[in-house]
Amino acid sequence: MSTSCSGNCSSCGETCSSRTAEQTSFLAPLNDASSVNKVIGVVSGKGGVGKSLVTSMLAVKMRNKGYKTAILDADITGPSIPTAFGLGSDGVGVTQDKLMVPATTSTGIEVMSANLLLDSATDPVIWRGPVIAGAVKQFWQETLWENVDYMFVDMPPGTGDVPLTVFQSLPVNGIVIVTSPQELVSMIVAKAVNMAKKMNIPILGVVENMSYVECPDCGKKISVFGESHIEEVAAEYGLPVLAKMPINPEIAKAVDEGRVEYLETPYLDQAAEAVEAI
């Protein structure tokens, strides 16, 4: 037990001898009307690397494979999933049993996000950490998730309250770590890897976003942010590199216009195979 231990295991990610089998299980049960087969977290050690893009595209990839997919947007204060799919704030309903009904995209992907509950997408969510973490648990427990094969959880950056809540409260089957090619990539990946290991969460692999720009004339790949070191970093932790995604204006345009599910890109094929293989 740590000398700074408060005795409250629910707010701690450490594994120590003072925990009992009963204490270490904080899984929040789904409501009786819901069913989710696999839960995949999409994480990063810092913001702005493209977690929401990877989350959206993986959900689309698995939907195109014939699975029923869903996205739980756990980035409560910076939700961008609804915009990527062109969903408005009127997309969430309520059942007679007071369960929230998620919004459904044009191809059938279910989405629950804070921005679907606000009067305006630009309204800020000014909540403290425990309240935000509680909202994530509500999205999991009080939403009607019907026969979902794969749920993707878009998490906020870092290793704070929300990632801890997701790892402890949801039955996460694996995570995908998203990063970018800057020099601090080793630290970014290390933080995510170390948290996952402390929480005993399997890591499926690493996706490097903004890896390069491809010249439209000659096809040459230009490393805008410097040469990638993702292979060495991933090898250090025994992880596969699942994708190296380019900077592509067409992808950015499709996301801004709410058309992410109509993008035809091969970048995340290997990542989708890793998810399917769980």
Side-chain angles (χ1 to χ4, degrees):
M1 180 185 295
S2 169
T3 55
S4 61
C5 179
S6 66
N8 181 11
C9 296
S10 64
S11 63
C12 175
E14 296 295 328
T15 300
C16 64
S17 59
S18 63
R19 284 181 183 267
T20 66
E22 182 179 1
Q23 283 177 315
T24 54
S25 179
F26 300 104
L27 290 179
L30 278 174
N31 58 76
D32 292 338
S34 295
S35 171
V36 177
N37 189 21
K38 301 292 183 183
V39 178
I40 311 298
V42 182
V43 308
S44 75
K46 68 181 293 293
V49 297
K51 275 184 298 66
S52 297
L53 174 63
V54 171
T55 302
S56 301
M57 293 178 71
L58 276 176
V60 171
K61 286 283 184 185
M62 298 308 291
R63 176 63 179 169
N64 290 342
K65 284 176 172 283
Y67 297 105
K68 184 171 183 182
T69 61
I71 298 176
L72 191 160
D73 189 355
D75 195 350
I76 303 296
T77 60
S80 55
I81 295 294
T83 298
F85 288 94
L87 297 172
S89 59
D90 58 347
V92 175
V94 180
T95 70
Q96 290 182 340
D97 297 326
K98 305 301 181 183
L99 294 176
M100 293 180 287
V101 179
T104 304
T105 73
S106 58
T107 62
I109 299 171
E110 295 185 349
V111 176
M112 177 54 72
S113 171
N115 256 20
L116 297 173
L117 304 174
L118 302 175
D119 292 333
S120 170
T122 58
D123 287 348
V125 177
I126 309 174
W127 297 343
R128 294 192 183 277
V131 179
I132 294 173
V136 172
K137 288 182 68 174
Q138 282 187 289
F139 284 176
W140 167 251
Q141 292 187 288
E142 299 178 24
T143 299
L144 182 61
W145 301 111
E146 291 188 288
N147 302 315
V148 173
D149 294 311
Y150 291 96
M151 172 182 285
F152 295 89
V153 183
D154 183 21
M155 290 204 257
T159 55
D161 285 334
V162 171
L164 179 59
T165 296
V166 171
F167 285 165
Q168 289 188 322
S169 302
L170 276 61
V172 180
N173 299 98
I175 65 168
V176 174
I177 299 174
V178 184
T179 186
S180 55
Q182 289 93 335
E183 285 297 327
L184 75 168
V185 62
S186 180
M187 180 189 70
I188 296 170
V189 174
K191 284 181 178 292
V193 168
N194 289 333
M195 182 176 189
K197 286 182 176 180
K198 283 180 178 291
M199 306 299 294
N200 296 316
I201 304 295
I203 304 171
L204 304 185
V206 183
V207 171
E208 183 179 74
N209 190 30
M210 299 179 285
S211 186
Y212 58 90
V213 171
E214 186 170 340
C215 175
D217 297 322
C218 67
K220 180 180 179 180
K221 294 181 179 179
I222 304 168
S223 300
V224 177
F225 295 111
E227 292 301 319
S228 171
H229 300 285
I230 192 62
E231 282 87 0
E232 302 96 290
V233 174
E236 181 180 350
Y237 298 101
L239 301 174
V241 176
L242 300 176
K244 296 178 73 173
M245 295 174 58
I247 299 172
N248 187 331
E250 291 302 316
I251 294 178
K253 182 180 179 183
V255 170
D256 288 343
E257 295 177 352
R259 298 184 294 104
V260 71
E261 54 198 323
Y262 299 107
L263 282 171
E264 294 184 7
T265 59
Y267 309 123
L268 290 173
D269 287 351
Q270 185 179 344
E273 291 172 4
V275 169
E276 193 173 25
I278 292 178

